[in-house]
Amino acid sequence: MPVTYWTEHVWLDGRVASGVAVDVADGHVSAVRDGVPAPPPGAEALRGLTLPGLANAHSHAFHRALRGFVQAGGGDFWTWREQMYRVAERLTPDTYYALARAAYAEMALAGITCVGEFHYLHHAPGGTPYDDPNAMGHALTAAAADAGVRITLLDTCYLSAGFGQPPTPPQRRFSDGTAERWATRASELKADGNTRLGAAVHSVRAVPAEELETVALWAADRHLPLHVHLSEQPAENDACQTAHGRTPTELLADHGVLGPRTVAVHATHLTDADIAALGGSATGVCMCPTTERDLADGIGPAVALQRAGSPLSLGSDSHAVVDLFEEARAMELDERLRTRTRGHWTAAGLLHAATEAGHDALGWPDAGRIAVGRLADFTTVALDSVRTAGPPPRLAAETAVYAASGADVRHTVVGGRHVVRDGVHTTVPETAAALAAAVSAVTG
């Protein structure tokens, strides 16, 4: 049913415009009409700054159950991982659905309209396939649909514990045994109006070098996105050098993994040659600053990667927080701490990473902008909260990026339909209670 949204202020083509009507038909923007000072009769009024829907380009939905628990005590990435495995062992398709639905509803409340789910929890404990070999993937896609957000299911190949090492007992749930068997199972997945598909190499330590090309070709043959965790930890780099005499980036390049449909996640510890290889191949990079600092991973060379030619996107990864505004400003602010200089990205550049670039990374090039023909996915940020009040509308983009939080999201619209209205999720209205119950089911 056609609907008109009147935006008080809206981000259009890199600028803030005021008094704009956005007409929607069949889930797409059918017209954008500037110079409309008041809501037309029957229009839905969106007061604040309306942005294209945010794209969370890297998510592990079940990690939402770790929030708070893994912040108690010290350690590093590897001790954090042991706690993550304990949660993974307890998940079933039903509890995974409940946890993911609540986590995706939290994302919608934070203005996220599309999520890239890096999905490697495939089988029952011990590695036995479910009667439906993709039961866990189907739980995720159903959860996204019921929470009102679009999803790219990045089905992940995960075969080994490390270079030349078989999966550990917790990791047997992740493994299909070989890349060919992974491809056979992944080929049974189907896209739909809310779901698009992609592939992922978990990491060079989890997919043997001789298996990498199988995953890359599977994605290439289908023209699908291909994501990979890359050089998140120096230990991975050192082990790869010992096993292959190559950096992880060089190993991926050797086996055809890099390219414009590929997204490297984290890319924290890179050589100059790695940066040149990623940028020169137009391989994208997804930065996840809140997770990278939570796990003490380090600060990735995002500026150098973008200058080299790598498009940048953003993800909340382990969901220490779910807030793409925080991810966007953290990319800039972390770089300020590293270099002791300011202004590496404009607010417009950071919004691009959080919107259009993220959708491109997830295989949704028809989203990420408020423009005729694009999917009618957008989110409205309040400009009158205690965090955002004061600056004039012409600085609304800077206000959103550097002051707003997910709590300032007033409305989220997906396909022309309100998923969040006045800060309340329309189908999961008690989102906090749903999160508490889902987390308790796998941690209590």
Side-chain angles (χ1 to χ4, degrees):
M1 182 176 181
V3 62
T4 295
Y5 287 95
W6 178 81
T7 61
E8 184 180 27
H9 309 290
V10 62
W11 185 248
L12 290 178
D13 298 323
R15 65 183 177 92
V16 177
S18 298
V20 175
V22 180
D23 298 330
V24 175
D26 297 323
H28 292 73
V29 176
S30 58
V32 178
R33 296 181 282 125
D34 215 333
V36 183
E44 295 257 14
L46 302 178
R47 299 191 182 276
L49 174 65
T50 296
L51 301 167
L54 307 178
N56 188 354
H58 189 67
S59 163
H60 301 290
F62 77 90
H63 291 189
R64 177 59 182 82
L66 299 171
R67 186 184 298 174
F69 295 93
V70 294
Q71 279 74 38
D76 57 14
F77 170 86
W78 307 102
T79 52
W80 168 89
R81 192 176 72 160
E82 293 306 311
Q83 296 183 69
M84 180 267 286
Y85 285 162
R86 287 195 286 274
V87 170
E89 286 176 338
R90 302 189 65 174
L91 286 161
T92 67
D94 288 342
T95 57
Y96 205 6
Y97 165 82
L99 180 58
R101 176 176 174 266
Y104 295 152
E106 180 183 4
M107 291 183 198
L109 287 167
I112 292 163
T113 57
C114 185
V115 60
E117 185 61 36
F118 199 102
H119 166 54
Y120 55 81
L121 186 55
H122 302 305
H123 306 300
T128 302
Y130 290 101
D131 291 340
D132 169 8
N134 285 303
M136 297 297 261
H138 290 148
L140 290 166
T141 57
D146 291 347
V149 300
R150 304 187 193 276
I151 186 171
T152 297
L153 187 68
L154 298 159
D155 198 278
T156 303
C157 187
Y158 192 134
L159 305 175
S160 59
F163 297 96
Q165 301 174 22
T168 63
Q171 293 169 340
R172 290 173 189 158
R173 297 195 73 173
F174 312 159
S175 177
D176 290 292
T178 68
E180 286 291 346
R181 288 203 286 271
W182 165 83
T184 297
R185 180 187 51 73
S187 295
E188 296 177 7
L189 291 163
K190 304 297 181 187
D192 57 38
N194 198 68
T195 301
R196 293 184 185 175
L197 303 176
V201 169
H202 179 273
S203 57
V204 293
R205 70 179 185 273
V207 179
E210 63 272 16
E211 306 267 27
L212 290 170
E213 189 173 355
T214 298
V215 184
L217 288 175
W218 187 90
D221 288 347
R222 293 161 175 78
H223 304 285
L224 298 178
L226 174 63
H227 289 216
V228 54
H229 289 134
L230 178 64
S231 292
E232 183 176 1
Q233 288 288 321
E236 177 183 285
N237 292 354
D238 295 343
C240 190
Q241 285 282 3
T242 299
H244 296 286
R246 314 283 282 157
T247 68
T249 299
E250 290 169 334
L251 191 66
L252 294 175
D254 290 345
H255 293 276
V257 176
L258 303 186
R261 281 194 304 273
T262 299
V263 175
V265 181
H266 303 303
T268 307
H269 302 281
L270 302 177
T271 66
D272 289 345
D274 292 339
I275 293 169
L278 291 166
S281 61
T283 298
V285 174
C286 180
M287 307 299 294
C288 305
T290 65
T291 292
E292 289 150 8
R293 67 192 184 195
D294 183 54
L295 299 184
D297 286 342
I299 300 170
V303 171
L305 284 160
Q306 187 170 59
R307 287 175 179 166
S310 289
L312 299 180
S313 55
L314 297 165
S316 64
D317 191 6
S318 67
H319 313 314
V321 297
V322 171
D323 190 335
L324 263 287
F325 300 111
E326 178 63 22
E327 304 294 346
R329 67 174 157 262
M331 190 162 69
E332 165 69 24
L333 298 181
D334 288 356
E335 187 68 13
R336 292 182 186 183
L337 286 175
R338 192 179 69 82
T339 63
R340 291 179 290 175
T341 60
R342 304 173 76 232
H344 303 279
W345 289 274
T346 63
L350 295 171
L351 284 177
H352 178 76
T355 58
E356 189 168 12
H359 283 94
D360 288 345
L362 296 177
W364 293 86
D366 46 348
R369 289 178 59 205
I370 300 174
V372 173
R374 296 285 184 125
L375 290 166
D377 298 354
F378 31 88
T379 188
T380 303
V381 181
L383 295 178
D384 57 359
S385 77
V386 293
R387 287 166 293 277
T388 60
R394 63 182 175 81
L395 296 177
E398 287 76 10
T399 303
V401 169
Y402 288 105
S405 77
D408 295 307
V409 169
R410 184 170 282 161
H411 307 288
T412 301
V413 172
V414 179
R417 179 178 65 88
H418 263 286
V419 174
V420 173
R421 186 189 295 274
D422 295 320
V424 177
H425 200 289
T426 58
T427 59
V428 192
E430 300 296 332
T431 306
L435 282 162
V439 170
S440 178
V442 297
T443 60

